[in-house]
Amino acid sequence: MWKKLGLAVFLSAMIGLGGCQKADYEKQEEENKKEELVIWSYYETQAQRDGLNKLIRDFNQSQNQYHVSWEYVPMTGFVKGLSSAYTENKLPDMAILDNPDTPSMIRLGLFEDITEEVQDWNLEKEYYASIIDTVKYEDRYYGVPFNCNNTALIYNKTMLKEAGCEPPSTWAELRETAKKLTTGEHDGFLMCGIEGEQGAFQILSWILAASGDPSDLQENTQESPWTQTYGFFSELLEDGSLSENCINLTQTDVSREFVQGKAAIIQNGPWAFPMLDESGIDYGVAPIPGKDAETTENAAVLGGENIAIIKGKNVTGSLAFLNFCMDGQELLAFCETANVLPAKISAAQEMAKQDERMEVFVRQMEDAVTRTSIPQWESVAQKLTDKMYQLVEKK
């Protein structure tokens, strides 16, 4: 009897196993029938990767026609990688790229014109105008905004309280506060001044804070925003409030210094929040200070990414993915995970309501300046970091 029962259990298990194998096989067959879509992205923080992974997973589960995956390409070689892949015919279907890089790629003819396909998406009304400008060329659309950000001051509440300081709102206040906060253990203020887009992105905010006018970036007079900005940086360096090592630090490095208690105030963006939260530091966020009380507008520089469809690739499938992404809730969920702002205004405002730390960044987005609106930006960007290096060398 027991032998018969054992045989029955064995046969039942084998049938069950066979059923599972059949289900797995059928599922794999279904996956194999889907059209494959590949995205390139330079996302490297865990929060960014988690957000993109979830967005793609949700899209893949929402329909049965397409299967999306993404590949990491380092930011430093992203544009060059796209250009090389174009000549070698090894391009992905879509690219998530830095918004200032988008216009040059459009002019090279790398992206699909999707004007007709997105005409009912209300891009001009529902998205920040500054970032919309980066996906347009001659009134045609070659991509859609994916997310946005800018930088602000992030400060250690405990250090400021112990020093009897308030978050600074002008350069004079920042210099005085940074002096008080500078000790043998930590700098009063720290920012990223490294060569390349990251350093230029941070420095430009201070140039704008000195002028309030992105069209007035002359550097040939004593009163020019360049002269005033680098004069201010020179004072911070002379005070010992700003570390000379700023020219070697990425934005992530600056966050690490803050987490380790080596800086009281830093300039950074919301992408730094996961690292800060994990450390347990009690921190606050304040706007980029104006040169004085009268020049506090337009000090924010637009950051973030666009998503574009590569010319000649799977346009229909890519549009299905873009349409899925542009849904307010899907975009908001991604941005909440990745700690960036939605480029869709209503979603960004909703995010600020849910997370008060984002309120400053949302407010600054109203006047955020695109780097591509500055003539010969690539040349300007190089000068911005070169001058910071020169300051440090002179000290």
Side-chain angles (χ1 to χ4, degrees), residues 251-266:
Q251 293 175 133
T252 301
D253 294 332
V254 169
S255 297
R256 290 195 185 100
E257 294 286 300
F258 186 77
V259 164
Q260 294 169 8
K262 297 179 181 178
I265 302 173
I266 60 172

Side-chain angles (χ1 to χ4, degrees), residues 213-284:
D213 182 1
S215 65
D216 178 24
L217 294 183
Q218 299 178 40
E219 53 176 318
N220 56 357
T221 67
Q222 282 298 112
E223 295 303 314
S224 77
W226 291 73
T227 303
Q228 295 178 64
T229 299
Y230 288 97
F232 176 58
F233 289 160
S234 181
E235 291 172 345
L236 293 175
L237 288 166
E238 288 296 329
D239 293 343
S241 303
L242 173 63
S243 171
E244 298 174 30
N245 196 39
C246 68
I247 61 173
N248 300 314
L249 300 178
T250 66
Q251 293 175 133
T252 301
D253 294 332
V254 169
S255 297
R256 290 195 185 100
E257 294 286 300
F258 186 77
V259 164
Q260 294 169 8
K262 297 179 181 178
I265 302 173
I266 60 172
Q267 177 188 358
N268 228 323
W271 56 82
F273 289 165
M275 186 186 298
L276 275 51
D277 292 341
E278 188 176 347
S279 73
I281 289 177
D282 187 15
Y283 65 91

Side-chain angles (χ1 to χ4, degrees), residues 52-346:
L52 186 55
N53 285 337
K54 182 180 185 304
L55 182 65
I56 288 175
R57 182 172 63 250
D58 289 348
F59 171 74
N60 288 339
Q61 293 174 351
S62 72
Q63 44 72 52
N64 296 316
Q65 189 171 357
Y66 306 105
H67 181 267
V68 174
S69 60
W70 75 279
E71 297 175 0
Y72 170 74
V73 178
M75 185 176 187
T76 52
F78 196 87
V79 172
K80 186 178 179 181
L82 278 175
S83 301
S84 299
Y86 181 71
T87 59
E88 297 172 10
N89 197 27
K90 295 180 180 180
L91 286 165
D93 296 276
M94 292 168 277
I96 298 174
L97 71 163
D98 205 8
N99 56 61
D101 290 330
T102 310
S104 61
M105 294 289 97
I106 291 173
R107 290 192 295 271
L108 285 174
L110 189 63
F111 301 142
E112 285 283 353
D113 180 342
I114 56 173
T115 307
E116 277 69 37
E117 288 81 359
V118 302
Q119 61 183 342
D120 296 328
W121 292 14
N122 296 319
L123 296 178
E124 298 287 344
K125 292 183 179 180
E126 296 189 13
Y127 291 78
Y128 288 108
S130 54
I131 197 167
I132 283 292
D133 289 342
T134 67
V135 297
K136 287 175 67 178
Y137 181 63
E138 297 181 344
D139 290 326
R140 308 290 293 179
Y141 293 101
Y142 294 86
V144 293
F146 192 52
N147 64 76
C148 58
N149 58 60
N150 53 71
T151 64
L153 296 186
I154 299 175
Y155 57 92
N156 185 312
K157 288 184 177 180
T158 302
M159 289 184 181
L160 264 68
K161 184 177 180 180
E162 290 176 350
C165 298
E166 295 292 329
S169 59
T170 65
W171 289 9
E173 290 178 6
L174 176 56
R175 185 182 183 188
E176 181 182 355
T177 302
K179 268 186 179 181
K180 289 182 179 179
L181 293 168
T182 299
T183 69
E185 286 73 40
H186 52 74
D187 300 311
F189 173 66
L190 191 60
M191 62 183 290
C192 162
I194 197 169
E195 183 178 13
E197 197 68 32
Q198 285 192 34
F201 175 56
Q202 294 220 346
I203 296 169
L204 180 60
S205 285
W206 303 91
I207 297 282
L208 295 173
S211 68
D213 182 1
S215 65
D216 178 24
L217 294 183
Q218 299 178 40
E219 53 176 318
N220 56 357
T221 67
Q222 282 298 112
E223 295 303 314
S224 77
W226 291 73
T227 303
Q228 295 178 64
T229 299
Y230 288 97
F232 176 58
F233 289 160
S234 181
E235 291 172 345
L236 293 175
L237 288 166
E238 288 296 329
D239 293 343
S241 303
L242 173 63
S243 171
E244 298 174 30
N245 196 39
C246 68
I247 61 173
N248 300 314
L249 300 178
T250 66
Q251 293 175 133
T252 301
D253 294 332
V254 169
S255 297
R256 290 195 185 100
E257 294 286 300
F258 186 77
V259 164
Q260 294 169 8
K262 297 179 181 178
I265 302 173
I266 60 172
Q267 177 188 358
N268 228 323
W271 56 82
F273 289 165
M275 186 186 298
L276 275 51
D277 292 341
E278 188 176 347
S279 73
I281 289 177
D282 187 15
Y283 65 91
V285 182
I288 294 290
K291 179 173 66 69
D292 49 48
E294 284 71 45
T295 54
T296 57
E297 296 181 355
N298 293 341
V301 180
L302 174 70
E305 288 83 33
N306 299 323
I307 183 165
I309 302 172
I310 306 300
K311 199 166 189 176
K313 303 297 284 189
N314 191 330
V315 177
T316 303
S318 297
L319 281 167
F321 179 72
L322 293 189
N323 193 46
F324 179 84
C325 293
M326 292 304 104
D327 178 79
Q329 292 307 309
E330 297 297 340
L331 190 63
L332 184 59
F334 164 80
C335 291
E336 286 174 341
T337 303
N339 283 278
V340 291
L341 291 173
K344 194 171 186 177
I345 298 171
S346 60

